[in-house]
Amino acid sequence: RCGGEEDGGVDDFFFSSRRRHTRYISVTGVQTCALPIFCKFFDACGGSLRVRADLYFRDPWARRPWGLKAQNPWGQRLLGRFERTCVRHADRVILNTESMAGEFRSFYTHQDPSTFVTIPNACDPRLSEQVQQLVNGTAGAKLLDAETPVRLCHPGSLYRKRDPRPLLKAISNLRREGIRIAFEQIGPCDPGFSLESFVAEQGLAGVVSIDPPVPHAECLSRMARADLFVLIQPGTAIQVPGKLFEMMSFGKPIIALTDEGATADLIRDHEIGVVARPDDAEQITTAIRSAITRFPELSDSQKWDDVREVFDIRRTVESLAGELNHVIGWSSPIDLPTAQQPVSLCN
């Protein structure tokens, strides 16, 4: 493991690797989810180490469904090369959905298919305990009634294809039907959406709040006061956003505005929410109405306990450790004086 900026950062570690670290330690295996660091590690070592590598892709680098980002276009074009380099050196490539693993197997046909394995993301039971205390302290956390607005919350950034305007149209539709709804956006929004003027056009002033990022503890408290969560994840069929696993800690129904794929499958398979196309206001209207109607069913505590057990981070850690140990078990003897514990490099 290599620390952050407060203790010298990864640059200091890697720039000193050839001078110092390779003299005194035997690096048997590397497990990392910071793939640029992996490239830098091999460059810093100058190829002098024969290291088994266990790579954890949380998101794809190349073949991104949203295309390249506007900033640093030349660097963006190198992502495919970086990904190929990392995969070529890897003994294991870990993906967090089976559909992403399948995509990598299809693209890297020269690699042994068993190189690519699936270990899902997870939720932390310690966070769940903290969150449940917050939820239990909020009024109306388990019941909806016609007198109190249904509180929707989206905690996270809105940018590029993550457009909230179809959702706001759906909220306007439901309010015209007499369903009282309030929506809280916590996090930065792309100015190109012109949300303030759009909210006014839809007659949602005083109903929709758009707030900048807040400290994590405050965000958790505000999420605890919500009735339903909104997850906006368009066009990423092979990915599941990390924020979904944080939402699991609250045990509140999730309105997933996503296309068909891994995220929609997870929501449906575990019956923890409803799904609608992210660009279809009418479908979103129907989904929100369904979530309100099915609120007791979707809020069932036993169901959420079961989901949190399936995606318990301790299972993920055990699986990651097992993969690293398996990779090290396949390694050839290292021609260095003594064998040390594996060095795990992660961000």
Side-chain angles (χ1 to χ4, degrees):
R1 174 177 177 84
C2 188
E5 294 178 359
E6 69 280 359
D7 54 3
V10 295
D11 282 350
D12 286 353
F13 178 88
F14 288 117
F15 284 136
S16 62
S17 289
R18 295 182 70 175
R19 296 194 307 270
R20 184 174 73 250
H21 292 284
T22 58
R23 296 179 186 176
Y24 302 118
I25 66 172
S26 169
V27 181
T28 306
V30 175
Q31 185 174 76
T32 177
C33 56
L35 302 191
I37 295 175
F38 176 62
C39 293
K40 197 168 187 179
F41 176 76
F42 273 91
D43 179 64
C45 293
S48 61
L49 297 178
R50 297 202 302 274
V51 178
R52 294 295 182 179
D54 199 358
L55 306 185
Y56 184 21
F57 273 87
R58 295 170 298 180
D59 294 300
W61 284 11
R63 308 175 306 286
R64 291 182 174 186
W66 287 10
L68 300 180
K69 296 179 181 179
Q71 67 268 33
N72 188 13
W74 290 106
Q76 294 283 306
R77 290 185 175 90
L78 290 173
L79 289 176
R81 178 180 175 183
F82 289 152
E83 183 182 279
R84 290 191 298 273
T85 299
C86 290
V87 170
R88 185 173 67 250
H89 284 292
D91 296 279
R92 273 287 192 272
V93 177
I94 302 170
L95 297 310
N96 59 21
T97 69
E98 181 54 36
S99 51
M100 194 188 303
E103 195 274 345
F104 270 67
R105 292 187 195 106
S106 298
F107 188 81
Y108 293 102
T109 55
H110 62 283
Q111 295 279 128
D112 183 343
S114 65
T115 301
F116 305 98
V117 299
T118 303
I119 299 178
N121 211 328
C123 53
D124 188 341
R126 294 172 300 178
L127 177 62
S128 297
E129 293 172 3
Q130 175 187 350
V131 159
Q132 286 309 308
Q133 293 178 359
L134 295 172
V135 170
N136 294 336
T138 61
K142 293 295 181 184
L143 297 173
L144 298 182
D145 62 73
E147 301 302 319
T148 305
V150 179
R151 297 162 294 186
L152 275 61
C153 177
H154 178 265
S157 303
L158 296 172
Y159 60 97
R160 299 183 76 187
K161 293 188 177 183
R162 195 171 284 155
D163 186 346
R165 288 173 291 188
L167 168 66
L168 298 180
K169 287 182 181 179
I171 293 173
S172 181
N173 292 342
L174 290 165
R175 289 185 63 83
R176 283 196 295 270
E177 295 177 11
I179 300 176
R180 303 182 65 191
I181 295 182
F183 174 66
E184 183 176 25
Q185 161 61 29
I186 306 172
C189 303
D190 188 333
F193 294 145
S194 303
L195 288 188
E196 291 186 4
S197 60
F198 189 82
V199 165
E201 291 171 9
Q202 295 295 314
L204 297 176
V207 174
V208 172
S209 64
I210 303 171
D211 298 323
V214 298
H216 189 237
E218 181 181 342
C219 184
L220 293 178
S221 296
R222 291 166 70 168
M223 291 171 70
R225 294 193 291 269
D227 299 305
L228 303 168
F229 290 135
V230 176
L231 184 72
I232 306 177
Q233 188 69 15
T236 55
I238 63 175
Q239 297 165 255
V240 175
K243 72 180 68 176
L244 172 56
F245 297 92
E246 185 171 73
M247 290 176 177
M248 287 179 181
S249 298
F250 291 83
K252 297 174 183 283
I254 298 169
I255 301 166
L257 308 185
T258 186
D259 299 295
E260 294 300 320
T263 300
D265 291 344
L266 190 155
I267 295 290
R268 291 193 185 109
D269 290 348
H270 295 279
E271 299 180 327
I272 56 174
V274 295
V275 176
R277 285 183 54 84
D279 58 353
D280 189 330
E282 292 302 321
Q283 198 175 121
I284 297 171
T285 302
T286 301
I288 297 174
R289 192 187 300 113
S290 173
I292 294 171
T293 303
R294 298 174 57 199
F295 185 81
E297 168 201 347
L298 297 174
S299 302
D300 179 69
S301 60
Q302 185 58 56
K303 179 184 300 184
W304 283 101
D305 287 343
D306 293 343
V307 170
R308 286 189 287 264
E309 182 177 354
V310 170
F311 294 103
D312 191 316
I313 196 170
R314 290 169 293 195
R315 292 175 180 263
T316 296
V317 171
E318 288 177 4
S319 298
L320 289 170
E323 289 297 335
L324 179 59
N325 289 335
H326 191 47
V327 164
I328 293 171
W330 287 349
S331 62
S332 302
I334 304 297
D335 298 327
L336 290 170
T338 59
Q340 303 289 330
Q341 292 296 316
V343 176
S344 176
L345 305 171
C346 56
N347 60 354

